[in-house]
DNA sequence: TTGACGCTATATCAGATTGATATATATGCG
DNA sequence: CGCATATATATCAATCTGATATAGCGTCAA
């Protein structure tokens, strides 16, 4: 799935500017399973406009720079329905943290502890973000689904890491006592 | 983290050809949190050789094409240690499945069921792969760590989806009974 | 025995994407 | 006023993906 389809999907839920789409995928409910940079979002919106899948409207703002608000068209909705009907690609998960843990022989126990704590912080931050977004009214079935899935997976990660952290602290204490 | 560091990390665990590295990240123990294509692996190995971080040795095989076996050097181990000592980037998780579920209003219940079942199959396949790799002897602390983490997270995903699937089947039955 | 298929193995490249950087407006703070 | 920060758009080199090409060897059925 490319960034064009991604933008179309977000615009099917609400009108947005490029900047707002970026915020959605960075801090919003989608942040834990979607990512895209300005460098792909802005060209995608330009192309979608040229294809007639979205419309643009320049909006003046007080206290902020003007923005271009994009809205999905009927043709856009059809294109989106077509795009998400194909069997999706398998999930992609990339973790430099796990790569580090795999090569833990190169790390001191202290550095491992720092890495584990950072991962725990990241996971808890994601959980907090989901909780925050879920409080917001007017979210549909889809949002509940992804929030539930995200909670389940992230919570499991936290639980596993808390255990690993305790295990490591015990080992460090034992080594210090020697 | 770039593919060069990734190759260096894998070569620190065992000698390998480019093809074998690809297999490790595709079917091996690392498959669920690492990815790289031939198009990045081969150039990375060429560059690492030029930099003196790895050595190449052409190996003739019976019944298979010859292969180039790469081995990490002392300079390579130092470069690796330096590379993984920096605080790693945050995990990246991209899921077209969750994107589909978010936009479930565009999907029929039957299509949702198919998508959920496919995701369940994918997760169970990953779990089976981890179980299979864990049986193999001579895996170190690092491998156990990532296997445990993978099991925890994937199992949580399966549990959540089993529930969502049952819920959906109930709704479909209720609608059919109307 | 031949030819179709699949696995091992390396290589290349167009197109997509990232991450950084540039530019501009407006607010708040000392 | 200078500085930091947030909003907002845009661009681009470096990187990576996904597809494709090429080739040796094995296997198995027609």
């Amino acid at each position: 799935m490319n960034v064009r389809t991604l933008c179309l999907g977000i615009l099917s839920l609400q009108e947005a500017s490029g900047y707002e789409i970026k915020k959605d995928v960075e801090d919003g409910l989608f942040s834990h399973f979607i990512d895209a940079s300005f460098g792909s979002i802005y060209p995608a919106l330009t192309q979608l406009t040229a294809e007639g899948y979205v419309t643009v409207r320049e909006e003046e703002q007080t206290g902020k720079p003007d923005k271009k608000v994009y809205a999905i068209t009927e043709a856009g909705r059809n294109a989106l329905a077509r795009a998400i009907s194909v069997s999706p690609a398998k999930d992609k998960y990339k973790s430099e943290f796990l790569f580090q843990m795999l090569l833990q022989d190169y790390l001191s126990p202290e550095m491992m502890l720092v890495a584990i704590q950072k991962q725990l912080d990241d996971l808890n931050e994601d959980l907090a973000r989901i909780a925050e977004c879920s409080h917001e009214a007017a979210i549909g079935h889809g949002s509940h689904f992804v929030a539930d899935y995200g909670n389940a997976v992230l919570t499991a990660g936290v639980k596993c890491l808390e255990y690993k952290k305790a295990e490591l602290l015990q080992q460090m204490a034992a080594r210090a006592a020697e």
Side-chain angles (χ1 to χ4, degrees), chain A:
Chain A
M1 198 200 54
N2 54 24
V3 179
R4 272 166 59 242
T5 306
L6 168 62
C7 289
L8 227 38
I10 291 173
L11 292 175
S12 82
L13 299 174
Q14 83 239 184
E15 289 189 349
S17 65
Y19 189 77
E20 284 163 347
I21 289 175
K22 173 66 175 166
K23 271 182 62 182
D24 279 347
V25 302
E26 196 156 286
D27 308 314
L29 193 51
F30 322 145
S31 60
H32 80 103
F33 67 95
I34 276 181
D35 204 14
S37 62
F38 285 129
S40 57
I41 291 171
Y42 284 117
L45 290 171
T46 304
Q47 205 182 330
L48 286 171
T49 308
E51 289 168 332
Y53 292 156
V54 303
T55 55
V56 212
R57 160 169 56 87
E58 202 113 356
E59 197 165 285
E60 286 176 42
Q61 297 189 111
T62 53
K64 295 176 194 176
D66 298 353
K67 64 178 175 181
K68 293 182 186 173
V69 178
Y70 293 86
I72 195 167
T73 64
E74 206 48 41
R77 287 194 190 273
N78 292 335
L80 176 61
R82 247 175 296 141
I84 68 165
S85 294
V86 303
S87 186
K90 211 188 151 191
D91 285 9
K92 275 178 199 172
Y93 174 57
K94 287 198 185 187
S95 176
E96 294 193 14
F97 164 70
L98 287 180
F99 185 72
Q100 242 187 5
M101 293 304 104
L102 183 71
L103 304 173
Q104 57 187 250
D105 292 348
Y106 287 87
L107 260 46
S108 66
E110 289 74 24
M111 285 175 69
M112 266 203 62
L113 192 61
V114 169
I116 291 174
Q117 191 55 54
K118 195 208 161 252
Q119 180 75 1
L120 271 169
D121 292 346
D122 284 347
L123 293 175
N124 282 316
E125 204 180 296
D126 267 11
L127 279 168
R129 187 152 39 224
I130 291 175
E132 196 189 333
C133 294
S134 297
H135 280 312
E136 289 169 22
I139 63 169
H141 315 89
S143 303
H144 271 118
F145 193 113
V146 302
D148 288 349
Y149 192 87
N151 272 319
V153 168
L154 294 169
T155 302
V158 167
K159 215 180 270 183
C160 176
L161 283 191
E162 295 283 15
Y163 181 81
K164 292 284 180 191
K165 179 182 161 188
E167 214 175 35
L168 178 62
L169 284 171
Q170 224 174 330
Q171 280 170 23
M172 286 169 74
R175 193 166 306 177
E178 269 174 23

